[in-house]
Amino acid sequence: MSRKLLVDIHTHLYLPRYAQLLRARSQIPRITTLNGEERLVILAGEASTGRPVGPSYWDRNEKLRFMDTHGIDVSIVSPANPWLDFLPPAPAAQACEELNSDLEEYCATSPQLEGTRFKRLYGMAYLPVVPGAEVDAVCRSVESLGKLPHIKGVILGTQGLGQGLDDPVLLPMWETLARAGLVVFLHPHYGMPPSVWGAQENGHVLPLALGFPFETTTAVARLILTGLLDKLPTLKLLLAHSGGALPVLSSRLASCIAHDPVASSRPQHDARYYLGRMWYDAVAYGPEELAFVASTVGRAGRYAGNGKEPETRGTERLLWGTDHPFFPPLKGEAMWMSVTENLDAVKNAPGWSEVEKEGVRGGNAVDLFGL
Amino acid sequence: MSRKLLVDIHTHLYLPRYAQLLRARSQIPRITTLNGEERLVILAGEASTGRPVGPSYWDRNEKLRFMDTHGIDVSIVSPANPWLDFLPPAPAAQACEELNSDLEEYCATSPQLEGTRFKRLYGMAYLPVVPGAEVDAVCRSVESLGKLPHIKGVILGTQGLGQGLDDPVLLPMWETLARAGLVVFLHPHYGMPPSVWGAQENGHVLPLALGFPFETTTAVARLILTGLLDKLPTLKLLLAHSGGALPVLSSRLASCIAHDPVASSRPQHDARYYLGRMWYDAVAYGPEELAFVASTVGRAGRYAGNGKEPETRGTERLLWGTDHPFFPPLKGEAMWMSVTENLDAVKNAPGWSEVEKEGVRGGNAVDLFGL
């Protein structure tokens, strides 16, 4: 590739069919109307007025316009939370099949990136992982994605079949995902129980800024403790928001495991080892954060135990993203601060070479997703 | 000081009078007896068998022996959680006065560190901050600490008077603490609601490794959002466990505040600015973590807004600690891994000079606590 691509791997959509589903609902999650304007209400404890929602969530032209404004060549779009989590198993399975077919068409009919083999849009699919579902149905859904050539991964929340992702019943799903070689984009929705945010009115700040990364951190730590990453070393887990708090708490996690009589013998390796087995979006909003996350990936080999593995730079597992269409500019500016912040973070990451920055901006995504 | 001191600023105790209080209880928190061995049960959701508890929690000779084994010159001991949180206001106030007097004696009668002006032990006191208490009573308790010369700070949980530390009613307490120049050691106890840890049996790992730092992070973010750190720039807040997830989520927090119509105008500065106004224990168990925390302290001046403040190295606000007597070695080794890990983290922190390492190991504590 002579061209230096900017690839956005954290960019969401609500397909029109999904928006209709939310409009038809009278409970959270839903799309409601206030003074003639549509509002999205998806978080527990969120005021019933929610936040504005519009074409940037479902209109492909808006997605492409946003990409053009910010110089984004390719986007790997994923459905926004809360996915199908609120549906019973049968309607979830049906909606999943229809939505994934819509998503394939959304990507397949997108423009070619001029002068390249790439489409402008690829997708990560829904899975019908909802309480009460059978894991076999989930596995069949994963396998059916093989027929959708522009689907390069799946997006997955943390509730599993109601007991979280460390539910042993889910093992066949993970095996099927690993076998299919699909990227699994682990993404939060539930945050933490709203009581922890207190009584002061702080808008959406605490559930988004803290609750989301806490949720991802918890889910991955629980996966590490089950030994899943020992069983399935080829599973491609991509963590939202740069892994949340996992990198900064990984040595504490390792120490707490080592000191716990119940858990100490559970994972085969020091917890820090597994950070080198996963991928991370570069949606952390600051250059020091990105450099640090890379360092915790790079040092993982140090914790391989017997048969030491080499340390690496760590940057090879970071992939740039925007979280569009969330975090729109408060004053309607054309350039989104949430995008420029994450671009600047890569540009200013201390110690990174230009080649590494290019990898984080696009090359790593081309490799991981096999575009 | 020609001597290079090793000072432990994160080291706990249950005074004998407090242990008696826990033994007399039939509900959590309590000390119970199982097969003739005393057990400590303090966490919600913790099995009724809790964990072993013994003289390392209350016997001063054990504390000094531990210090000698690990080459620790001076310890600034603080009462372990959950402090007085479970008592009604009147008994809490009385216990507080008695326990702080015990603590003063515990420190005042400790040995001199040979050839120096230092005692081996100093203390951080209890405050009677419990649901239903009057803030005036808390303020009087703070002021009374002026009569206890070996008390250099207070330890504070996050529940406040029942509504958390961002409760506006608490402002006089913060003002009194700032005026007294006492270090406020902010320490977790509650973690997150146990439901988030799921159904698998992972011992204490998740509430300790993740819940504790999540709680501290949440409490500090809530304080930043109230504008407390704008009102009281001289308040000396010391954050347990290196600030938990706050450093790695600080740019995300800043961005979420900037994008939130309710919160965007609340704090005077970018959220990252306030990280340079606080202090952090160096109890993060890994060298990359420590270097990263320092970098987020050091960069704070970049976010001062108008009238830019200089960036610093950041190491000047990190202070070494052990979390003794928690995290004892599983196999009874004399040298505690939880100590050597945190010593090695300082020794191996990438990019730190020898002088900076000495500061983190002891000099910064002498300065901050005014020993």
Side-chain angles (χ1 to χ4, degrees):
Chain A
M1 284 299 306
S2 60
R3 179 159 178 170
K4 291 161 189 169
L5 291 181
L6 185 61
V7 180
D8 184 355
I9 63 97
H10 191 153
T11 178
H12 296 301
L13 83 172
Y14 289 142
L15 289 158
R17 186 190 303 270
Y18 186 86
Q20 279 301 101
L21 198 64
L22 291 187
R23 286 189 191 102
R25 288 175 55 84
S26 57
Q27 297 168 49
I28 291 180
R30 64 184 299 207
I31 292 174
T32 181
T33 302
L34 184 77
N35 302 329
E37 193 193 49
E38 286 199 316
R39 313 281 297 188
L40 176 67
V41 190
I42 53 172
L43 298 183
E46 185 170 41
S48 62
T49 49
R51 51 191 130 172
V53 65
S56 65
Y57 285 77
W58 43 75
D59 183 332
R60 193 176 68 181
N61 288 333
E62 288 286 323
K63 182 68 81 183
L64 290 165
R65 197 167 8 248
F66 166 82
M67 290 166 64
D68 290 339
T69 301
H70 295 88
I72 298 167
D73 297 300
V74 173
S75 288
I76 306 177
V77 299
S78 50
N81 52 299
W83 316 287
L84 308 169
D85 284 23
F86 52 90
L87 292 176
Q94 189 189 334
C96 185
E97 191 177 339
E98 293 168 354
L99 288 163
N100 286 344
S101 168
D102 291 355
L103 182 61
E104 169 63 21
E105 192 192 343
Y106 177 102
C107 300
T109 61
S110 74
Q112 202 77 13
L113 179 65
E114 225 180 289
T116 73
R117 69 176 189 272
F118 300 112
K119 287 278 175 193
R120 297 292 303 276
L121 298 168
Y122 297 90
M124 291 191 260
Y126 286 99
L127 287 183
V129 179
V130 299
E134 298 286 337
V135 72
D136 287 353
V138 178
C139 293
R140 283 194 301 275
S141 179
V142 172
E143 284 163 354
S144 73
L145 297 175
K147 292 176 304 205
L148 307 177
H150 296 86
I151 300 298
K152 302 295 182 184
V154 300
I155 186 164
L156 193 60
T158 69
Q159 78 163 351
L161 306 179
Q163 298 290 316
L165 297 179
D166 55 357
D167 184 347
V169 168
L170 284 173
L171 182 59
M173 173 189 81
W174 297 114
E175 290 171 335
T176 309
L177 285 164
R179 202 162 44 234
L182 290 164
V183 174
V184 181
F185 186 21
L186 201 65
H187 194 288
H189 167 70
Y190 297 92
M192 291 284 129
S195 62
V196 306
W197 311 129
Q200 304 302 309
E201 175 51 76
N202 292 311
H204 290 94
V205 168
L206 294 168
L208 288 180
L210 306 185
F212 266 34
F214 289 175
E215 178 187 354
T216 307
T217 306
T218 304
V220 180
R222 286 169 56 178
L223 285 180
I224 289 172
L225 282 161
T226 61
L228 183 77
L229 300 174
D230 293 310
K231 287 195 193 88
L232 296 174
T234 62
L235 184 66
K236 294 180 178 171
L237 278 182
L238 168 65
L239 306 186
H241 314 116
S242 299
L246 184 70
V248 88
L249 299 180
S250 56
S251 291
R252 179 174 174 83
L253 177 63
S255 189
C256 285
I257 293 173
H259 284 92
D260 194 283
V262 172
S264 64
S265 60
R266 196 81 58 76
Q268 283 178 22
H269 299 281
D270 183 294
R272 286 168 282 199
Y273 172 74
Y274 304 101
L275 274 73
R277 303 269 67 78
M278 298 183 280
W279 285 261
Y280 305 81
D281 74 26
V283 183
Y285 303 90
E288 285 77 13
E289 284 83 348
L290 291 187
F292 169 65
V293 173
S295 78
T296 64
V297 173
R299 76 182 180 187
R302 198 189 302 166
Y303 302 103
N306 294 334
K308 286 213 188 301
E309 296 177 18
E311 298 194 26
T312 70
R313 291 282 303 167
T315 54
E316 68 279 3
R317 286 176 180 264
L318 267 65
L319 298 83
W320 187 77
T322 64
D323 223 339
H324 181 261
F326 296 99
F327 305 105
L330 277 188
K331 295 177 183 160
E333 296 90 338
M335 292 298 288
W336 287 35
M337 187 175 93
S338 51
V339 177
T340 54
E341 282 179 323
N342 282 312
L343 272 179
D344 285 348
V346 175
K347 186 170 128 195
N348 299 322
W352 288 8
S353 72
E354 207 46 50
V355 171
E356 290 180 299
K357 293 175 188 177
E358 281 166 22
V360 174
R361 283 193 286 250
N364 298 347
V366 173
D367 292 346
L368 175 62
F369 288 93
L371 300 187
Chain B
M1 286 300 304
S2 60
R3 178 158 177 170
K4 290 162 189 170
L5 292 181
L6 185 61
V7 181
D8 184 355
I9 62 97
H10 191 153
T11 177
H12 296 300
L13 84 172
Y14 289 142
L15 289 157
R17 187 190 301 271
Y18 186 86
Q20 280 301 101
L21 199 63
L22 292 187
R23 287 188 190 102
R25 289 174 54 81
S26 57
Q27 297 168 46
I28 292 180
R30 65 185 297 206
I31 291 174
T32 182
T33 302
L34 185 77
N35 302 331
E37 191 192 51
E38 286 199 315
R39 313 281 299 188
L40 177 66
V41 189
I42 55 173
L43 298 182
E46 186 170 38
S48 62
T49 49
R51 52 189 130 173
V53 66
S56 65
Y57 284 77
W58 44 74
D59 182 333
R60 193 177 67 180
N61 288 333
E62 288 287 323
K63 181 70 81 184
L64 289 165
R65 196 166 9 245
F66 166 81
M67 291 167 62
D68 290 339
T69 302
H70 295 89
I72 299 167
D73 297 300
V74 174
S75 288
I76 306 177
V77 299
S78 50
N81 50 301
W83 315 288
L84 308 168
D85 284 24
F86 51 90
L87 292 175
Q94 189 189 334
C96 184
E97 193 177 336
E98 293 168 354
L99 288 163
N100 287 343
S101 170
D102 292 353
L103 182 61
E104 169 63 22
E105 192 191 343
Y106 178 102
C107 300
T109 61
S110 74
Q112 203 78 13
L113 179 66
E114 223 179 291
T116 74
R117 69 177 190 273
F118 301 111
K119 288 277 177 194
R120 298 291 306 275
L121 297 168
Y122 296 91
M124 291 192 260
Y126 286 98
L127 286 183
V129 180
V130 299
E134 298 286 336
V135 72
D136 287 354
V138 178
C139 293
R140 283 194 301 275
S141 178
V142 172
E143 284 160 354
S144 74
L145 297 176
K147 294 176 301 206
L148 307 177
H150 296 85
I151 300 296
K152 302 296 183 184
V154 298
I155 187 165
L156 193 58
T158 69
Q159 77 162 352
L161 305 178
Q163 298 290 316
L165 297 178
D166 56 355
D167 184 348
V169 168
L170 285 174
L171 182 59
M173 173 190 80
W174 297 114
E175 290 171 336
T176 308
L177 285 163
R179 204 162 43 236
L182 289 164
V183 175
V184 182
F185 187 21
L186 201 64
H187 195 288
H189 168 70
Y190 297 93
M192 292 285 129
S195 62
V196 307
W197 310 129
Q200 304 303 308
E201 176 52 75
N202 292 313
H204 290 94
V205 169
L206 294 167
L208 289 180
L210 307 185
F212 266 33
F214 289 175
E215 178 188 355
T216 307
T217 307
T218 303
V220 181
R222 286 169 56 176
L223 285 180
I224 290 173
L225 282 161
T226 62
L228 183 78
L229 300 174
D230 294 311
K231 287 194 193 88
L232 296 175
T234 62
L235 184 65
K236 293 180 178 172
L237 279 181
L238 168 65
L239 307 187
H241 313 113
S242 300
L246 186 70
V248 87
L249 298 180
S250 57
S251 292
R252 179 175 173 85
L253 177 63
S255 189
C256 285
I257 292 173
H259 283 93
D260 193 284
V262 172
S264 64
S265 60
R266 196 81 58 75
Q268 282 177 24
H269 299 281
D270 182 296
R272 285 167 281 198
Y273 173 73
Y274 303 101
L275 273 73
R277 303 270 67 78
M278 298 183 282
W279 285 261
Y280 305 80
D281 73 25
V283 183
Y285 304 89
E288 286 77 13
E289 284 84 349
L290 291 186
F292 169 66
V293 173
S295 77
T296 65
V297 173
R299 76 182 179 186
R302 196 189 304 167
Y303 302 103
N306 295 332
K308 289 214 187 298
E309 297 177 19
E311 298 193 27
T312 71
R313 292 282 303 169
T315 53
E316 67 280 3
R317 285 175 179 265
L318 267 64
L319 297 83
W320 186 76
T322 64
D323 224 340
H324 180 261
F326 297 99
F327 306 105
L330 277 188
K331 295 175 184 163
E333 297 89 337
M335 293 298 286
W336 288 34
M337 186 175 92
S338 51
V339 178
T340 54
E341 282 179 322
N342 283 311
L343 271 179
D344 285 347
V346 175
K347 185 171 130 197
N348 298 322
W352 287 9
S353 73
E354 207 44 53
V355 171
E356 290 181 299
K357 292 175 189 176
E358 282 167 20
V360 174
R361 284 192 284 249
N364 298 345
V366 173
D367 293 346
L368 175 63
F369 287 93
L371 299 187

